[in-house]
Amino acid sequence: MTRKDNKAYYDEFSAWYERGRHDGYHAFIDKLETDLVLRYASPRSRLLEAGCGTGLILRTLSSRVGQAIGLDLSSGMLKVAGGRKLNVVQASVTHIPFADGAFDLVCSFKVLAHVQPIEKALAELGRVLRPSGRLIAEFYNPLSLRYLVKRLKPPTAISLQTSDEAVYTRYDSLAQIRRYLPRDLEIETVRGIRILTPVSHLHRVPILGPALRFAETQAADAPGLRRLGGFMVVVAKKLPLEVH
């Protein structure tokens, strides 16, 4: 399959993106991600979500912080987010149109694994973060059940013409992530998301679905399990100016 550039891929994906995303597995994953951000947020926080898509996470965060801005490359995704009256801008994570230190919190979910110049993207995310602010960044983990399933299952359709194999995708270990980060960002902790779920449709099964979500919630921060999440979320703190 011919690989698409990221903008074309997500513009095409935008028409199908929210199918099944408002309950079950997808809503649960969004909650685990959102809850982590809210641990570091306050009613006065300035927050940027890099790669906000249609705004499903941003709309929750917007009601809990002082200012929330979403950034995305796809005009198709942003059209939906704008319809939700969210504050969004069209731009790339490798060229963020905000001043140095503009935000207290920067988060990014299911985006960085599809950005080939990852060190440039992380440098930009760190640049717009104030000293002592936090970057909450999600990567795809090769040491996970999700990775194994992805290798074995057929591609997932994102439109009538295109599957998820049409976009660049990278899987990163924690050691690799540390090397990608600029010197002024230091990892504080990791949250593992989708540690125990082999296939997403199990979350729709009565009794099993709620039990699986309970187990995933407990495992997400467990020291022995969190590094096995299909989605590995790192929390990195920007060092004070005098340190770096």
Side-chain angles (χ1 to χ4, degrees), residues 17-219:
Y17 183 75
E18 293 197 15
R19 289 188 176 190
R21 298 194 80 90
H22 297 280
D23 53 24
Y25 166 80
H26 290 291
F28 174 66
I29 297 299
D30 286 352
K31 185 178 188 304
L32 289 179
E33 294 162 345
T34 302
D35 286 350
L36 180 60
V37 178
L38 292 176
R39 292 180 186 178
Y40 300 94
S42 78
R44 298 175 60 184
S45 295
R46 299 161 298 162
L47 177 143
L48 173 69
E49 184 184 1
C52 64
T54 61
L56 292 177
I57 289 177
L58 187 65
R59 65 178 176 179
T60 300
L61 297 175
S62 293
S63 65
R64 303 288 293 275
V65 299
Q67 180 188 36
I69 298 175
L71 175 151
D72 205 278
L73 186 64
S74 167
S75 55
M77 293 286 188
L78 291 178
K79 183 177 180 180
V80 181
R84 292 191 160 108
K85 310 300 182 186
L86 298 170
N87 187 0
V88 293
V89 297
Q90 185 173 6
S92 167
V93 293
T94 59
H95 295 89
I96 297 176
F98 295 105
D100 295 1
F103 298 96
D104 304 298
L105 276 171
V106 176
C107 62
S108 183
F109 300 105
K110 299 180 185 65
V111 173
L112 297 174
H114 304 296
V115 178
Q116 205 157 1
I118 184 60
E119 292 179 341
K120 185 175 182 180
L122 289 169
E124 274 290 271
L125 295 175
R127 179 185 64 77
V128 299
L129 190 63
R130 67 162 174 82
S132 299
R134 286 177 174 84
L135 169 66
I136 300 172
E138 186 174 80
F139 298 84
Y140 295 173
N141 184 7
L143 299 176
S144 67
L145 184 59
R146 177 180 180 268
Y147 176 79
L148 176 61
V149 171
K150 280 283 189 181
R151 300 279 69 80
L152 297 175
K153 77 175 189 63
T156 300
I158 62 103
S159 73
L160 291 175
Q161 296 82 28
T162 303
S163 79
D164 59 0
E165 288 193 346
V167 68
Y168 169 82
T169 302
R170 187 187 62 256
Y171 290 81
D172 298 305
S173 68
L174 186 59
Q176 288 171 312
I177 295 166
R178 289 186 193 277
R179 290 197 292 270
Y180 299 151
L181 287 172
R183 293 177 62 187
D184 59 354
L185 285 177
E186 184 175 84
I187 295 178
E188 288 187 319
T189 191
V190 172
R191 171 165 252 213
I193 294 177
R194 189 174 164 171
I195 297 168
L196 306 170
T197 299
V199 288
S200 61
H201 72 258
L202 293 179
H203 285 259
R204 297 196 297 265
V205 178
I207 301 177
L208 178 59
L212 192 53
R213 290 191 285 278
F214 175 80
E216 288 280 12
T217 301
Q218 299 305 305

